[in-house]
Each structure stands twice: as structure tokens, then as C-alpha cells.
Amino acid sequence: MKRLTQSILGKFIAMIIIAGMAFWGVDQIFNQVRNGLGSDLMAAGKSSVTVEDFDRRIEVMLRNVNLQNDDPITKDEALERGMVDQVFQLEQSQTTILGFASKIGVAPSADAVVAELRKQDAFKNPLTGELDLATYQRVLAQNRFSQEEYEDQVKSDLTLQTLQTATIAGLMAPDVMKAVQSRYLAESRDVAWFILDAADVPKPEAPTEEEVLAFYNENLDALKQPERRGIDLAKVSADDFLSQVEVTEQEVATIYEAGKSERFSEPEQRTYVEMMFDSRDAARNAFGALAGGADPSTLQGVVSRESKISLAEEVEDQLLRDAMFGPGKQSGALFGPKDMGDGRWLIARLVSIQPGAVFPIESVAEEIRTGLARERATLLLYDKLEALDRSINAGFDLNQIADELGVPVISFEPVDKNGYTEDGLPMIGLLDAGDAFQQAFTMNVNDTSSQFTKNDATYVISTRKIVPPSTPDFEEVKDDVRQALVMRNEGEAAQKAVQAIKDKIESGTSTLEAEARTVNAEIETPPASVTRMNAEDSGLPNSAIGGIFSGKPGEVFTYPNRAGDKYMIVQLKSVNDPSAADLSAAAPNASSVLISTLDSDLAEAMEAEMAGAVKLRVNNAAYNAYKASISTDQ
């Protein structure tokens, strides 16, 4: 072997092996070993995050986001939006803090973890209302957590909470800062304004033909019309087959009889009795006696007893509702003992069930008939969609496909990629087709798209014609260009007039009141002097509020409305020092603002100190590989 490695052949083989190791990423493995991370994404002290841990955090984030969104996002979309990187940055911060905590020996006790688990209603036994191991393990399994993984996360959360709380505990804003902040908040400013209507500004002279032509040449890019496409569309849904199905009266009656007690009746009511006890032991003894068949009237230690008749939605306590109204619950079902928080303990017992009144068949027959007809029409639709795939693959044109489906072909005027015609009208029917409409701009003339489903309807489209981009001749759009130039000139004239008013007032050659009289406008003022605490109630726009609190007395600010046809001309009249009463009223707000700001500053400083005390090591290669795997998996 030694002689082989020293020979030319041996050296050649060694070169191949080394190159192969580099190709398969062995060099990355050695790099990971050298930085001490192994397969971890990051580590600080004794705290680390594996790829599996991080992926689980991403899954939880997506689940929480999608619970609140009508349009769920995928992991790939989260990556594109930068959400994965945001979670990665958050994990780096938390790993640093946890690493520091392990260094100084901060860790929650077992009792603290159990106390946290007791707060979670999902882990409580629906009968006893207390933390239940079987329920706890079942909920974790449903959410793909092991008990160890979840409890490690709880420990981490408690540790983070402890360090953050300890950092700002007892934080008080210094009196000198509170005094400055109070004066800042309580300082008041007197303002006045009037509204200038652009219609009151003298109109500029009409533009000449040469000026219109010059304006046309300046705006050729804006006048250019985008490519538009004439599109034909076929749309099919279950509604198109309702006329082809039949539902008999016998079928309606059969469905009614099978479901009238559940689907076609008023909600049932249930009678249950709530019994209160003054100790947990007394409540437990009573629960055991009831479970053994004891008569409720013979129970000992009952402080109060109340019989209730309720609908399910009237019971606010979710655990009590499940115990009294849950599936399969019968008379005698029990709930409790539950700590009511005031020294009393609750036990509830289901007494009886009163079914809701059944609706007569005449009132629900149409609902049954419609539902059954739609189910059968949907089956016919599925058969048609299978045939639709075959027709598309066979190269049939849209008219043939529509004939087979039994639906019309709808032809639309040429539209741009946003679905608008040359006249600016939106073609809603095309926009409703979603991805099918977008595909029309990637196809050749007379090509047929794939089928696309959106909102229970299936769409197939064909590009009928392509109108290439073009710039209209001057004579075609001369009138429109002239109108646009007139509007621009009028807008500039209004802005010049507003600036002239501002200059005259600030120079002292005129006053706000005099300029308002010139245009027959009324002077307006807020109900009271404006402070930073009441500015939102002053009637001023946010932009004006920023101006008056950064300006000097006598300064004028102008603000156009969104349409540009009216201007608010505001003058800062005076800046007033706060009185002692004003300072006293502002003190609570000043203290609250300061504490919030100092909390944030102190937390940031704490993280910086922790980052200096423990080294955060990040495995960028593993993170990049994780992100690449998301795109690959998708």
C-alpha cells in the first residue's frame, strides 16, 4: 500500500478520492466538525437549535398564520417573503439569551413547568378540569410533539421570560427625564387654517396646438398601449348540470326522516344542575358519590345548588359545555371539580335532554332537494372534467370542448394583463378565471389552455387574437392630450397660488385672515390648543400635525387633498409653555412613554451584553441547505 501511494498510479487514485470527497460535501462536514456545530444550525453555550427544531418552528409559524388567513401560504411562499429568515434571526437572538442563561445557571424548576402546563385548557380533563397526563400526551401527539420536545420549549419560554422580566424589574424613570417628557407632551400650539378651493384660482390660458404637440411628444411612453389579447373562455360548474338531474319526493322524505332530529330541528336544550362546595375535598367526595349512583339530594357539603336549562352556545365555559353537550353525553354525565377562583368548587350533573322542535318537511324540502341535486350535478361535473382532460390532450379547439361540455363560449374584447380594455373597463369574467386568464398571455393564437379550477368553477381559455403594443398617433388622442395638459397647467397654477399665499403670510405683507377673505373662505381653529396628546382630535391631517410640531410661530404649511382640488393652508400662531396643571395632567402619560422606551432600550442592551458573554455560532451552510430543500420539496 505504501509503495502504491508513492507511485504515479497511486497518486492519481488519491487525487480522484479527494475530488470525490469534495464533490459529495465531505469538506463541509469537516468544516462543521471544526466549528463544533455538527448538524446544528446554531449554538450558544449549552443551547442549540437543530435543523429539525427549526423546521418545527417554521411549521408552527405557518399553522398560526394560516389559521388567520383566508389564503393559506406554503413553506415555499414563506421563504420567498422572507418569513423564514425572520424566524432564523429570532432563533439566533433566543439561542444567545438561552446560552447566557445556561452559563449563569438560570433554569426553571419542575414545579414551574408543571404550573405552566396547568394553565393550558387543552391539557385538562374535561370532567375534572385539571391537568391530565393522558389528555396532555394525546394533544401533543396530535400536534406532532413529543413530551420531551414540548417541555423543553416550555422551559426555554420560561427562561426567556425570567431573564427579560428580571432585566426591567423595578425600572423607574428618573424625575429629570419625566419632567422633560411632561413638558414635551404638555406644550401646546395655537393654529388656524382655511381651505382654498382650486376652482377659485384664476385659470391659465388655453394651450396652443404647438404646446399640445410638445406635451404629446414628452409623454410618448405614458401613451404607449400595452399588448392586449382577445380571449375566449368556457366556464363549467355543477350549476350547469342541475337541469339534468332529478330528485323525487320519496328521496326528499327519506333524507328528512333520517336527519330530522339532527339537521332539521331547533337546537336541543339540556337541563343540568350546578353544585358549589367550599373545599376541593368536599367536591371530590361528592363527585365520587355521584359517579357511584348516589342521589344528588343526599350529598353532604353542598353550599349552593342551581338548576339551569341552556342551549350549548349559551354555556361560556368550553370544558363545561363539552361535558354537558358533547357527543354521546347522556343524563348523569358529570363535570368537575373545578376551582372557581373564589374559594368555591363546582360540580355539574346533566339531568335531562330536551330535543328541539322538528321543522315540518314542507319548510325544509327545498333545501333537501337543492342539496341532493347539487351532489348529483357535481358527480356529472366530475365525469365531464375527465372527458375535458382527454379533449384538451387530443388538441380539440375551445368550441369543440364547449360543445361537449354543453356550455357557451364567451368572447371578450382585447384586454391587457390586468384585465382592462383599451377604454379602461375591467373584464370581471376574465379576472374571475384567475390562473387560466394569466395563461392566455403565454399562449399562441388558437391554443387551448389547461383546465383551471377556482371557486367551484372550472375554466378553459383560448387566445383568439393578439394586439401588439402601439403608440397612438397624435391626431387620434389630441383631444385627450389637450385635456391632460389643461389639467396639469391648472394644477401648477393652483400650486403657484398657494405658494404665493404662503410667502405673503410668512413675509408679513399679508395675514392668514386677509388671504381667507380674498377667496371667501372661513378661518377654522381646533376646539383647544393642540398638544401632542390631543393632536389626533384637532381635525388636522397627520402630515399637518408633524409640521406644526416641528415649525416656528408664524410659519405656514400647505397640504393638498388627495384629489388635488383643495388645499389646506395652516399657520402656526404661537407656541405656549405648559402650566403647572398641564404638567401634572401630562405626568402619567410621560411616565408611561418613558418606561416603554427604557424597557426597549434596556432589553436591547441586555441582549448586547449577553451576546458578548457567550459566542453564537451559526452553521450558514446547513441553513442554506435547509432553504434549498424547501424549494426542492415544493
Side-chain angles (χ1 to χ4, degrees):
M1 178 63 70
K2 182 177 180 181
R3 286 196 300 272
L4 175 63
T5 58
Q6 292 175 346
S7 67
I8 295 177
L9 176 61
K11 292 178 181 178
F12 181 69
I13 294 173
M15 289 172 61
I16 293 175
I17 294 173
I18 292 171
M21 292 174 68
F23 178 79
W24 290 107
V26 175
D27 60 328
Q28 292 186 6
I29 294 175
F30 288 148
N31 286 337
Q32 293 176 23
V33 172
R34 281 196 295 271
N35 66 27
L37 287 175
S39 62
D40 289 342
L41 278 181
M42 64 189 74
K46 295 181 180 179
S47 177
S48 63
V49 177
T50 66
V51 174
E52 292 76 14
D53 294 336
F54 184 73
D55 186 61
R56 188 176 298 108
R57 307 253 202 301
I58 297 297
E59 293 285 354
V60 171
M61 181 269 293
L62 287 176
R63 185 161 62 245
N64 291 337
V65 169
N66 289 336
L67 283 175
Q68 303 173 11
N69 284 351
D70 293 333
D71 296 322
I73 64 173
T74 64
K75 195 181 293 185
D76 192 39
E77 291 171 330
L79 178 63
E80 291 178 0
R81 298 180 188 183
M83 298 169 70
V84 173
D85 287 337
Q86 291 174 7
V87 175
F88 189 68
Q89 292 173 2
L90 177 62
E91 286 298 320
Q92 291 183 61
S93 174
Q94 293 188 350
T95 301
T96 301
I97 297 174
L98 293 172
F100 179 79
S102 65
K103 181 177 180 179
I104 64 175
V106 173
S109 65
D111 289 342
V113 174
V114 172
E116 190 66 22
L117 297 179
R118 291 185 189 280
K119 297 177 183 178
Q120 307 301 320
D121 288 341
F123 300 151
K124 294 179 180 179
N125 185 299
L127 291 179
T128 65
E130 296 184 358
L131 177 64
D132 179 73
L133 180 60
T135 304
Y136 171 54
Q137 292 174 334
R138 184 179 67 253
V139 172
L140 291 184
Q142 290 171 349
N143 289 275
R144 300 194 297 277
F145 272 103
S146 70
Q147 189 170 333
E148 181 181 4
E149 289 168 344
Y150 183 77
E151 289 173 9
D152 284 344
Q153 184 61 49
V154 172
K155 291 176 183 177
S156 297
D157 292 344
L158 289 173
T159 302
L160 292 169
Q161 181 181 342
T162 299
L163 285 177
Q164 291 165 351
T165 303
T167 302
I168 61 175
L171 178 64
M172 296 178 61
D175 289 342
V176 65
M177 294 183 69
K178 284 195 288 187
V180 172
Q181 185 70 20
S182 296
R183 180 170 291 276
Y184 174 78
L185 293 176
E187 174 194 80
S188 65
R189 305 203 168 200
D190 293 326
V191 297
W193 66 85
F194 71 88
I195 304 299
L196 173 66
D197 192 329
D200 295 332
V201 176
K203 297 291 187 290
E205 293 183 3
T208 65
E209 195 77 7
E210 290 76 14
E211 289 172 333
V212 175
L213 178 59
F215 188 65
Y216 165 82
N217 289 325
E218 291 170 8
N219 293 276
L220 288 177
D221 288 341
L223 291 168
K224 186 176 182 178
Q225 293 292 323
E227 177 188 290
R228 288 188 166 85
R229 298 198 171 201
I231 298 172
D232 293 337
L233 175 145
K235 172 186 175 183
V236 63
S237 68
D239 291 343
D240 296 305
F241 302 100
L242 287 174
S243 61
Q244 300 179 29
V245 299
E246 182 181 356
V247 178
T248 66
E249 293 300 323
Q250 181 58 47
E251 289 172 327
V252 172
T254 300
I255 292 175
Y256 173 76
E257 290 297 328
K260 64 181 179 182
S261 61
E262 297 177 358
R263 294 176 53 193
F264 309 118
S265 63
E266 297 279 2
E268 66 182 16
Q269 292 183 320
R270 299 201 173 190
T271 301
Y272 59 95
V273 60
E274 291 185 349
M275 293 167 281
M276 294 293 180
F277 298 82
D278 57 8
S279 71
R280 181 180 183 181
D281 289 340
R284 280 187 166 182
N285 291 336
F287 186 91
L290 289 172
D295 186 340
S297 62
T298 64
L299 296 178
Q300 301 296 315
V302 179
V303 175
S304 65
R305 189 190 311 263
E306 181 180 3
S307 182
K308 294 186 175 181
I309 301 176
S310 303
L311 300 172
E313 60 267 21
E314 295 173 346
V315 181
E316 295 182 0
D317 188 317
Q318 182 64 51
L319 294 177
L320 176 59
R321 185 192 309 169
D322 292 343
M324 298 293 101
F325 290 86
K329 298 297 182 182
Q330 301 294 328
S331 299
L334 298 173
F335 168 78
K338 177 184 178 181
D339 186 358
M340 302 302 293
D342 57 0
R344 299 182 304 159
W345 292 78
L346 167 69
I347 288 179
R349 180 177 183 273
L350 180 58
V351 176
S352 62
I353 302 173
Q354 296 85 43
V358 177
F359 299 129
I361 189 171
E362 294 79 14
S363 66
V364 296
E366 189 57 33
E367 175 188 342
I368 298 172
R369 185 178 294 104
T370 301
L372 186 55
R374 184 166 293 279
E375 288 179 10
R376 292 176 177 175
T378 301
L379 294 177
L380 291 177
L381 171 64
Y382 290 157
D383 291 339
K384 289 290 186 179
L385 293 182
E386 290 181 6
L388 173 60
D389 267 337
R390 293 192 293 270
S391 298
I392 293 174
N393 293 333
F396 289 1
D397 65 32
L398 188 62
N399 288 311
Q400 291 175 285
I401 291 172
D403 286 342
E404 289 190 357
L405 293 175
V407 296
V409 172
I410 306 171
S411 295
F412 292 89
E413 288 185 52
V415 296
D416 61 20
K417 289 185 177 181
N418 295 316
Y420 285 82
T421 67
E422 186 176 358
D423 295 330
L425 298 176
M427 294 291 101
I428 303 301
L430 274 179
L431 295 173
D432 287 344
D435 292 339
F437 165 60
Q438 295 301 326
Q439 192 178 32
F441 285 85
T442 65
M443 302 190 311
N444 297 320
V445 174
N446 295 326
D447 282 355
T448 301
S449 74
S450 305
Q451 58 168 291
F452 293 88
T453 300
K454 180 182 177 184
N455 297 333
D456 298 326
T458 297
Y459 298 88
V460 182
I461 57 95
S462 177
T463 301
R464 186 175 70 256
K465 68 176 180 178
I466 299 176
V467 180
S470 63
T471 301
D473 293 333
F474 174 66
E475 292 299 328
E476 291 181 50
V477 294
K478 180 170 62 175
D479 292 340
D480 291 336
V481 173
R482 183 185 302 277
Q483 184 178 357
L485 179 56
V486 168
M487 291 178 63
R488 189 199 70 173
N489 292 345
E490 289 179 352
E492 289 179 350
Q495 291 172 10
K496 289 179 181 178
V498 169
Q499 185 62 42
I501 292 173
K502 170 181 167 69
D503 293 341
K504 286 193 289 184
I505 297 173
E506 288 186 337
S507 67
T509 59
S510 184
T511 64
L512 185 77
E513 292 74 16
E515 293 301 321
R517 285 194 298 271
T518 301
V519 294
N520 296 318
E522 293 184 0
I523 293 290
E524 300 181 54
T525 59
S529 296
V530 182
T531 69
R532 290 177 173 86
M533 295 183 293
N534 68 8
E536 292 184 357
D537 302 324
S538 65
L540 292 166
N542 290 333
S543 54
I545 291 172
I548 66 170
F549 280 107
S550 62
K552 299 176 182 179
E555 196 168 350
V556 176
F557 308 91
T558 62
Y559 305 97
N561 64 359
R562 290 185 179 180
D565 58 354
K566 288 183 173 59
Y567 292 81
M568 172 182 272
I569 300 177
V570 186
Q571 184 178 28
L572 175 56
K573 294 290 191 179
S574 63
V575 178
N576 311 309
D577 287 333
S579 66
D582 295 332
L583 292 172
S584 177
N589 284 339
S591 181
S592 175
V593 170
L594 279 175
I595 289 296
S596 176
T597 303
L598 292 173
D599 280 357
S600 177
D601 291 346
L602 197 55
E604 187 175 339
M606 175 197 74
E607 289 191 26
E609 287 295 321
M610 292 179 179
V614 292
K615 181 181 179 182
L616 175 68
R617 293 163 295 162
V618 179
N619 190 340
N620 288 314
Y623 180 53
N624 290 332
Y626 170 77
K627 293 199 290 186
S629 71
I630 292 177
S631 299
T632 303
D633 291 343
Q634 294 296 325

